[in-house]
Structure formats: structure tokens, C-alpha cells
Amino acid sequence: MNSHSSSENSEAYIALGANLGDREATLLEAIHRLNRHPEITILRCSSLYETDPVGYVDQPNFINMALALQTTLEPEQLLTVMLQIELDLGRERHIHWGPRTVDLDLLWMEGRTLDTPRLTLPHPRMHERAFVLVPLAEIVPATETTGLYPYVQHALTSGGGKEGVRLWKECSWPSASGHSAN
Ligand code: GSY
């Protein structure tokens, strides 16, 4: 269902991960850069979790988190902004599934389903990944009416649970960013 007209505000959910360099600082900088975009406002950030690598396991632990934002951008425009932030923060793609300075994945966007070569919405693998679901569950309100809340709760209880995902610290954004909520 794409019940949407352009330039309307949509809520979107993003997963973030990093396992090279100063992981926390990089994630905070990515959030700051997203929020600086004139058509993006960060609404909520999850805690930060330290997670065992999934897929290619011979690499450092990740810090993962999730955030909710509001945007007037179309999904592919938002993806372009996210990819540019990844590049600007030094992400290089050497090994598929390998270590990375920062990774931003668009998970879900209000009222949108999409299947293009660049982007599938909802994210096709988010229900399999505890490192995505655990942070996401923190920031999806139970009152959310589009089905994301029951989807996340069901995926968490029917999947591999929370194994390999450890609460690391609270998110210090916006206090660490100089951003004012007013
Ligand atoms: O898909 C995101 C990159 N990634 C991650 C990740 O973010 N966290 C964990 N724990 N394992 C991962 N494997 C890959 S690839």
C-alpha cells in the first residue's frame, strides 16, 4: 500500500551500525548529519547495543542502534542522503558483509512498500536480525497503528531472540550534538 502524496511528512525508521574506529562517535555524527538535512527531523533514538557480528563473523563487534525520523523526502531520496552520509563518514565497501565505519539501513517508511533495484520496503531481512529488532523495539510506540509494532514484537518472539545483543549505553543524542529541541 502506498497511501501517500509527495511532500507530506512521513515517519521512517533507520538501523545504524558501526564496527570500525570510534563507533559511538561515528553513529552520533551520522544522526547529527541526518538531522541537519532541511527535510529530516530526528524523532527518537534507541539505546546503543554492542552486538556479535552476524554473517561474516571474523570481524569486530558492532555497535547497533535504531532511530525514528520524520521527513518530506521520498524513500529513494532519503536513501541517497543516507548513502552520502555513509560515504562522507569514510565507509568503503571492500568485503560484502565485512567491517564498516558506518552502515545506515532504511527499514520501514509509513504507508510505503517498494521493490526497486535500489530499495525494498519494508526491509526484507529486518525480521531475521536481533541487532535490528532489539533497538527498534525500543522506539516503536505500542500505539503505532500501521502494523510495525506487532510486526517487531512477533519477529522478536518467534525469531532467535536477543542472543548476541547486549545493551551498551543510552544514546547521548541530542545532548552530545549541540542540537536544541526548540
Ligand atoms: O547489515 C548491517 C551490517 N552488519 C551487521 C551489523 O550491523 N551488526 C551485526 N551484529 N552484524 C552485522 N553483520 C552485518 S553485514
Side-chain angles (χ1 to χ4, degrees):
M1 177 196 60
N2 286 315
S3 54
H4 215 272
S5 59
S6 71
S7 83
E8 215 175 274
N9 254 320
S10 310
E11 201 160 307
Y13 287 83
I14 291 181
L16 299 88
N19 75 340
L20 292 178
D22 185 336
R23 301 167 300 174
E24 180 184 11
T26 308
L27 294 178
L28 288 174
E29 183 59 25
I31 298 169
H32 187 47
R33 288 180 187 216
L34 282 167
N35 197 60
R36 266 204 324 246
H37 190 285
E39 292 185 73
I40 297 174
T41 304
I42 305 296
L43 300 174
R44 296 179 294 283
C45 291
S46 75
S47 305
L48 281 65
Y49 290 82
E50 187 164 49
T51 67
D52 297 339
V54 172
Y56 178 68
V57 295
D58 188 17
Q59 60 177 320
N61 286 347
F62 282 78
I63 300 294
N64 285 109
M65 63 180 297
L67 57 83
L69 59 81
Q70 202 167 50
T71 186
T72 48
L73 296 174
E74 291 296 303
E76 299 222 19
Q77 293 174 315
L78 176 59
L79 181 68
T80 299
V81 171
M82 292 164 56
L83 293 176
Q84 190 59 53
I85 291 172
E86 285 185 352
L87 282 175
D88 293 344
L89 291 179
R91 171 150 179 202
E92 294 172 16
R93 291 167 187 262
H94 292 304
I95 310 173
H96 192 54
W97 302 109
R100 60 220 38 215
T101 317
V102 65
D103 191 46
L104 304 178
D105 280 331
L106 183 52
L107 300 174
W108 181 90
M109 212 160 157
E110 187 182 357
R112 300 301 190 118
T113 55
L114 201 68
D115 195 1
T116 72
R118 286 185 79 212
L119 181 62
T120 302
L121 288 176
H123 191 292
R125 287 175 301 283
M126 70 185 201
H127 65 282
E128 301 166 352
R129 297 174 168 178
F131 65 80
V132 170
L133 293 169
V134 173
L136 187 58
E138 260 190 43
I139 58 165
V140 179
T143 49
E144 206 275 331
T145 54
T146 63
L148 185 60
Y149 182 81
Y151 175 93
V152 170
Q153 295 303 320
H154 179 260
L156 265 178
T157 48
S158 63
K162 302 177 180 181
E163 205 178 313
V165 177
R166 299 168 292 280
L167 182 61
W168 193 61
K169 58 163 73 171
E170 299 288 301
C171 182
S172 58
W173 192 91
S175 52
S177 68
H179 166 88
S180 159
N182 300 316

